[in-house]
Amino acid sequence: MTSNLRRVLMGGAALAVMALLLVLGNARTGDTEAGARMVRMPDGSMVLARPGVQAPVLDVYEDFDCPVCKEMERVLDGAMERLAAEGRVKVVFHPVTIFGDEPMRSNSIRAAAAARCVPSDRWLAFRAEVYAIQPAPHGSASGFTTEDLVAAGGRAGVRGAEFETCVSTQRHANAHLAQTAKVRLQGTPTLLLDGRMLQGEAFDPKALENALTSGVSV
């Protein structure tokens, strides 16, 4: 092998390694496969948007123990995430505790506190897992034990002693409750498009898409 050919092959290998490292680095930022990025805000909300997209803003207030929120997640079937990935909206997820009665209140707090332990790039997967194990029947079933939530994290790709400790000690429960106390809602889910409350769009992917385009509630 000539020295020139050796240099070419070595250079190509180096470029391949650099490309792989770049891909791995991007995977840790919270980017989805379509380019939307999930970022955790200081108040615990989660912002999903393509870089540079600032409007329109869709605020999603949800309680993980709310059956109607779970139904919204099922019916929309990833529509919010898809629209964010397309650069058509900035979605802000706000986990809240809307219930005052037990066992719903404690269920909700445990799940929301655990969600704050999850890395940004795994948060949507964890959210889906949490809705999948929502306690039932609503109003009487206790659930979302810390063991359940650690297992849900594992299925979402989140593992390790730090995560398990964060969930089991409910490290972020007080911060979650403090933020929830600042929110005034009649119920969940509540969706606000640039501050305007949506109605049927919360359960209709096409209507939601139309609302983003027209700015008119249907």
Side-chain angles (χ1 to χ4, degrees), residues 203-215:
F203 298 91
D204 185 331
K206 188 61 178 177
L208 177 60
E209 186 171 355
N210 290 341
L212 295 177
T213 302
S214 65

Side-chain angles (χ1 to χ4, degrees), residues 110-165:
R110 284 191 296 273
R116 290 192 178 213
C117 300
V118 176
S120 298
D121 62 339
R122 295 286 87 202
W123 192 85
L124 283 174
F126 181 78
R127 174 178 178 266
E129 291 292 342
V130 167
Y131 277 131
I133 62 168
Q134 188 181 83
H138 176 70
S140 61
S142 294
F144 290 149
T145 66
T146 55
E147 293 81 5
D148 291 337
L149 294 164
V150 167
R155 291 190 297 274
V158 186
R159 298 178 180 84
E162 173 61 22
F163 170 69
E164 293 181 12
T165 299

Side-chain angles (χ1 to χ4, degrees), residues 45 51 62 77 115 119 130 154 209:
S45 62
E62 57 185 347
D77 191 25
V130 167
E209 186 171 355

Side-chain angles (χ1 to χ4, degrees), residues 2-23:
T2 67
S3 58
N4 286 339
L5 179 58
R6 185 180 295 110
R7 284 195 295 270
V8 169
L9 292 176
M10 291 177 65
L15 288 174
V17 171
M18 290 176 64
L20 177 60
L21 291 175
L22 180 60
V23 169

Side-chain angles (χ1 to χ4, degrees), residues 88-103:
R88 300 175 63 184
V89 68
K90 174 182 176 180
V91 182
V92 186
F93 295 95
H94 304 267
V96 296
T97 292
I98 196 71
F99 301 111
D101 295 334
E102 296 293 352

